Amino acid sequence: MSANEERTFIAIKPDGVQRGFVGEIITRFEQKGFKLVALKLIQASDDLLREHYSDLKDRLFFPGLVSYMSSGPVVAMVWEGFNVIKTGRVMLGETNPIDSKPGTIRGDFCVQVSRNIIHGSDSVESANAEINLWFKPEELCDYSKCQHNWLYG
């Protein structure tokens, strides 16, 4: 990874998997020029989800969130590229789909906040923590893409 690149954690939630948006979401990140460095389909355990969402554990909706996230498979991914965290969050749209603009993932595919199909890291610190929680170091691929120079010069 070069000095001007970073990694982010993106997860397609059970409703996104069930509704068949995995390919569309991957395509959007690839078309933007980001590099996929890890991907797996996982039935997340309650323990993993409680740790992932530990900052929300005191919220009333926390038990329902864990139940929803464990209700089906999740596609966990790591993407790499220049400003991928901030750009990825813009691509996702607002947490509440009502506030999301058309052209964003949530703006195009979601109706309500409790079924917003996708998660993305919101900072370098959270990205690193989430990547380390969901992936072992040996599951991250280090490779060069031929399009790199066409994107970054």
Side-chain angles (χ1 to χ4, degrees):
M1 194 165 57
S2 68
N4 66 347
E5 293 180 334
E6 61 191 16
R7 289 181 172 168
T8 192
F9 175 76
I10 301 291
I12 304 173
K13 297 176 181 181
D15 55 321
V17 174
Q18 290 289 337
R19 293 179 61 204
F21 293 133
V22 174
E24 171 72 25
I25 291 167
I26 290 172
T27 297
R28 287 184 184 211
F29 277 83
E30 286 181 324
Q31 287 177 340
K32 188 68 177 175
F34 295 130
K35 179 170 70 171
L36 182 63
V37 298
L39 175 135
K40 62 181 163 183
L41 180 69
I42 181 173
Q43 183 73 43
S45 69
D46 285 358
D47 289 341
L48 173 64
L49 295 166
R50 282 189 196 97
E51 188 170 349
H52 179 87
Y53 290 112
S54 63
D55 60 320
L56 303 173
K57 68 180 182 234
D58 296 328
R59 305 297 271 287
L60 291 176
F61 62 81
F62 182 74
L65 175 61
V66 172
S67 177
Y68 151 64
M69 288 296 293
S70 64
S71 68
V74 172
V75 174
M77 300 176 283
V78 179
W79 290 90
E80 181 179 296
F82 178 73
N83 236 355
V84 70
I85 296 170
K86 183 177 181 182
T87 305
R89 297 281 293 181
V90 170
M91 291 169 62
L92 268 58
E94 300 298 321
T95 301
N96 188 339
I98 292 170
D99 301 324
S100 295
K101 294 182 174 161
T104 65
I105 292 166
R106 291 178 178 143
D108 289 348
F109 304 127
C110 301
V111 177
Q112 62 179 0
V113 71
S114 66
R115 296 292 184 267
N116 65 5
I117 76 170
I118 194 162
H119 165 84
S121 302
D122 61 5
S123 68
V124 171
E125 297 76 23
S126 69
N128 290 334
E130 291 169 352
I131 291 167
N132 290 329
L133 180 63
W134 289 79
F135 290 93
K136 298 172 188 163
E138 62 270 17
E139 293 178 306
L140 303 175
C141 297
D142 185 20
Y143 65 100
S144 298
K145 287 185 76 171
C146 60
Q147 68 175 339
H148 187 273
N149 288 342
W150 295 107
L151 287 166
Y152 302 111

